Amino acid sequence: MQYGAAAAEQAWSYMPVVAPSSAVETAAERVERLASESAVVVFSVSTCCMCHAVKRLFCGMGVHPTVHELDHDPRGRELERALACLLGASGASAAGAPVVPVVFIGGRLVGAMDRVMAAHINGTLVPLLKDAGALWL
């Protein structure tokens, strides 16, 4: 019996400890961290048609972005305010205008739907995706 208890204690000693810094992480820091974890990151709301369109654009190009659905995140409203500040549209969020989708490529802010579509139309989106390692053409 002691062997089993000792083995259980030993197994727990190898478990990684989660740093308490995540509790202190601000919304802006969290956005920055999440945006830098993948080649293409989309902050979205699951019921937003513009978010759906930008996700379909990337999937149609063979790019599979990391998507953070703000309406499924307990801190989603905080993240949306931080994204609005990054976009310089803090008043738009307060007025009820949607901030999402917000796209980061290679850890750098591309912008909202209008910027992504403009980059796609003028031919600068594909080179951005290639440089980030999200597309191999």
Side-chain angles (χ1 to χ4, degrees):
M1 254 328 172
Q2 277 188 331
Y3 178 77
E9 280 181 39
Q10 192 175 17
W12 283 108
S13 67
Y14 292 111
M15 297 293 288
V17 177
V18 176
S21 64
S22 63
V24 190
E25 185 178 48
T26 67
E29 291 169 340
R30 185 164 183 225
V31 165
E32 187 177 324
R33 179 179 53 80
L34 293 172
S36 66
E37 289 179 347
S38 298
V40 180
V41 177
V42 178
F43 289 92
S44 171
V45 171
S46 61
T47 57
C48 171
C49 62
M50 299 306 273
C51 297
H52 178 75
V54 83
K55 291 182 278 190
R56 294 291 300 156
L57 170 68
F58 285 125
C59 289
M61 297 173 78
V63 174
H64 300 286
T66 298
V67 178
H68 296 284
E69 300 289 357
L70 299 180
D71 55 333
H72 296 147
D73 189 316
R75 293 182 62 195
R77 294 235 188 245
E78 292 175 53
L79 296 176
E80 189 169 4
R81 282 191 293 273
L83 290 165
C85 288
L86 279 175
L87 293 173
S90 57
S93 178
V99 173
V100 292
V102 179
V103 176
F104 290 81
I105 298 176
R108 297 179 62 204
L109 175 66
V110 173
M113 180 70 165
D114 59 338
R115 296 282 179 118
V116 174
M117 292 308 292
H120 179 55
I121 290 167
N122 70 25
T124 59
L125 184 60
V126 169
L128 280 175
L129 293 168
K130 285 181 182 178
D131 289 344
L135 193 61
W136 302 274
L137 285 179

